[in-house]
Every structure is written in C-alpha cells, then in structure tokens.
Amino acid sequence: MAEDQVQYWIYPTEEGMDALSTLAWVWELVDDLVNKYIWHLNIFNLSIQNDKDGWHLEGKVDYGESVEDEWMVISLLVHITKKLNNLCARVVDTDGEILLIEAANTLPRWAGEPDIADGRVFLYGGQVHLLAPCKTPGDISPFPHGRPNPSSAARYIATYPHLTQAGQPVQKAIIDRIGGLPKDVSSNLHTTTVVIPDILAALLHNNHQAVSDIVHALRDQDHLDMRKTRSMPRIKQTKTGSYALTFPRCLYALLSSINVRPHRSCKWSIDEKDRGQVLGFKLSLGLEIILSRYRPPHQTNSEDEGCSAEFAKFSVSS
C-alpha cells in the first residue's frame, strides 16, 4: 500500500446479491455526500472486484496531508453499512487497522496486537465488529486463528452480530473521531476572499473539486512548467473580481505556503500585501500550469501521455 493511503472493501452478506445493482445502491446513497466534499487528492471511489469467493466492492484514496479525507472515507463506510444492512465493510491505511489504532485505549487485549488483529475488524450496521481469535484450545470459533476469509467473515458477522459487536467504549472512540461526518464537513472548511479572473471564478463555481487540482499543479510545478507559464499567456489579469472561495483547511494551508509571484514578462501586477490578490494569482497560475501541460491527442508522444491524461481528468471534472 502506498504512503498516506486508505483502502477499503465492501462485502455482500447475503447469497444471490447482484454486484452491479449493489454498486448502484451504494452510489445512490453517497453520491451527493461524495461530490459536495472537496477531496485533497483522490475522490472516494468504488469498483467491482471478482474473486474465488464471488464479488466485492473495493476502493482506495490517497489522502496526502489531509487525514480528514481518511476519516471522511471511514464515515462514508459507516453510513453505507448503517443504511444497507446486507453489506459489511473493512478499512485499513498505511499503518494497518485504522479503527483499532483510533480506539487503542479501549480495546480487548488481543486486538492490541497487530499480528493477531489483522483482518479481524469490520463495519456492519454502522458499528465496529471484532472477530476474536480462540484464547484456549477449548474455545469454539469459525475463525480460531490467522487472517479470516473476509467474505466468510462478513456473512458470519451479519448472522451473529450480537457476538461480534465491539464494546461501547470502542464505538464511542470511533463516533467521536468521525464527529458530524459525512454530512457535516463545516469544521474542515475555511472561506476567504480571492481576486481572480471571472473565467476562473466560473470554473470553481461549477466544479469546486477543481481547486484541489489547481493547488496541486502549482505545488508540483517543475522548471519546464515555470518556463512555459511565466508570461501567463492563457489566464490574463482581465475581468477580475473578488470572490468568496471555500477551501478545506489543509488545502488552504498548502496554497498559503507556496511562494510564487508574477514574472516580469507577464502583465500581472498584484499588491503583495493584499492576501486576496496573492491567493488569486496563485490559483490563476495553477490553472495556467494545467492548461500548459495539455497536448492534443494527435500531438501526444510517449513523454506527453501523462500530461494529456492529467488535462483530460481536469477537463472531465470541470
């Protein structure tokens, strides 16, 4: 698993469930929540995966510096399993069983040992469920040791939820961390005034996720980007206005930390003491960088494929 990544799976708990229909039900439930949230890097996603045990839904999100994105993912899984009682979910991150890490002070002893707890933590009915291993040879369990088969574990939890539901302290630790997510994201937002061209304002109004693409393009610019964009040939300082723009706090901090100023060859002029103008120029330059990377398909060579793919993704989202 990549650094700063959360991976998740959703398993059917009943025989005969159709994968495509289930995926449609899940998206109907979360689509509005997913699209209203401004993701730091990757948007919440799901795909159908087939294996020897049947099928399941799977996804992963790179959350970068924004740990809040990881908890948005977890809150969506809690929401999904609470509303759809024939689904059971698992979620892990780079460090392992994130739910156990968060509830570390409230766990049964076995769950505090990563080698034993691996693969034994699920979400069902909006609650945390733990599959305890056998403590003594006399104990009876369908999953006495090792890593349980997740499809079998999901069906077992749905059949005997009273045997697997974690204690109230564990549930409270997770609920407290989730807070108002996934419906209330206000605590993660910061609104400020920026001075930007009307064309950029229209883009951000129609697609608030575009601000993430723009900020990351600015942060990741290289010498070629700087050379191609220093005169700002596409995004000009004309028809500008002051607009209230909402950022996730982590993205706003990232944008604020980037030090760029207009090159002498461009016709942009800003008051560096005016935060709205400074932030507006940064966003305008970020969009300029994305546009400069575009290559029409008939002009694309192997070295440019990544640039064209990035622009295509940006264009679709906008």
Side-chain angles (χ1 to χ4, degrees):
M1 183 183 296
E3 191 72 20
D4 298 328
Q5 185 179 86
V6 58
Q7 190 168 2
Y8 43 93
W9 304 264
I10 300 177
Y11 299 94
T13 62
E14 299 173 0
E15 297 290 340
M17 291 177 63
D18 179 70
L20 196 57
S21 297
T22 302
L23 180 60
W25 293 335
V26 170
W27 272 118
E28 183 178 359
L29 184 63
V30 303
D31 184 61
D32 192 49
L33 297 170
V34 169
N35 287 307
K36 283 184 177 179
Y37 185 80
I38 304 175
W39 298 86
H40 191 71
L41 284 173
N42 302 147
I43 297 175
F44 181 85
N45 57 87
L46 285 168
S47 62
I48 298 171
Q49 300 295 324
N50 295 295
D51 55 36
K52 60 183 178 60
D53 299 308
W55 63 268
H56 63 271
L57 305 180
E58 182 177 325
K60 57 185 177 182
V61 167
D62 294 309
Y63 55 86
E65 302 92 341
S66 180
V67 177
E68 196 68 12
D69 279 22
E70 178 175 29
W71 284 96
M72 181 62 176
V73 168
I74 294 171
S75 73
L76 287 168
L77 296 175
V78 169
H79 184 64
I80 291 166
T81 59
K82 185 175 183 179
K83 297 295 184 180
L84 301 176
N85 61 8
N86 54 2
L87 296 176
C88 189
R90 263 187 51 69
V91 57
V92 299
D93 69 3
T94 310
D95 296 321
E97 300 285 355
I98 177 60
L99 298 176
L100 296 186
I101 294 171
E102 184 63 30
N105 295 329
T106 63
L107 297 175
R109 182 174 299 178
W110 69 266
E113 300 182 35
D115 292 341
I116 297 177
D118 181 39
R120 292 180 172 269
V121 190
F122 289 79
L123 289 167
Y124 178 72
Q127 301 280 307
V128 179
H129 287 256
L130 304 176
L131 293 173
C134 291
K135 297 178 181 177
T136 68
D139 290 344
I140 299 176
S141 168
F143 313 105
H145 54 79
R147 200 173 194 275
N149 176 286
S151 296
S152 300
R155 290 191 291 270
Y156 177 80
I157 289 169
T159 305
Y160 305 104
H162 59 289
L163 298 179
T164 59
Q165 185 171 311
Q168 191 56 36
V170 174
Q171 309 295 350
K172 185 177 185 303
I174 301 305
I175 291 171
D176 287 350
R177 180 61 183 83
I178 288 174
L181 297 175
K183 295 182 178 181
D184 181 10
V185 300
S186 57
S187 63
N188 187 42
L189 299 177
H190 176 78
T191 300
T192 190
T193 300
V194 295
V195 181
I196 52 178
D198 292 349
I199 188 173
L200 176 53
L203 169 65
L204 296 175
H205 175 75
N206 291 325
N207 178 12
H208 58 259
Q209 185 61 40
V211 71
S212 177
D213 297 299
I214 289 171
V215 173
H216 284 95
L218 181 64
R219 183 193 67 177
D220 298 335
Q221 65 175 319
D222 56 22
H223 291 293
L224 178 60
D225 291 324
M226 287 188 277
R227 188 170 71 248
K228 290 164 60 178
T229 61
R230 61 191 176 190
S231 64
M232 297 285 283
R234 301 166 185 83
I235 307 301
K236 302 181 183 300
Q237 195 177 22
T238 57
K239 296 183 180 179
T240 62
S242 297
Y243 297 89
L245 187 60
T246 298
F247 298 82
R249 293 186 180 278
C250 185
L251 198 65
Y252 177 74
L254 177 58
L255 180 63
S256 299
S257 70
I258 300 171
N259 294 315
V260 291
R261 54 172 55 96
H263 190 269
R264 62 180 179 273
S265 65
C266 82
K267 296 181 180 180
W268 276 74
S269 177
I270 62 172
D271 179 357
E272 295 192 16
K273 295 181 179 178
D274 186 322
R275 191 164 190 78
Q277 291 188 37
V278 172
L279 293 174
F281 172 72
K282 292 179 181 181
L283 293 170
S284 299
L285 179 56
L287 179 57
E288 181 75 38
I289 291 169
I290 290 175
L291 295 176
S292 75
R293 292 172 178 172
Y294 174 65
R295 297 288 183 281
H298 66 278
Q299 296 180 11
T300 301
N301 57 38
S302 59
E303 293 182 357
D304 292 328
E305 286 179 357
C307 297
S308 293
E310 178 185 356
F311 184 84
K313 172 180 175 290
F314 185 81
S315 300
V316 169
S317 66
S318 59

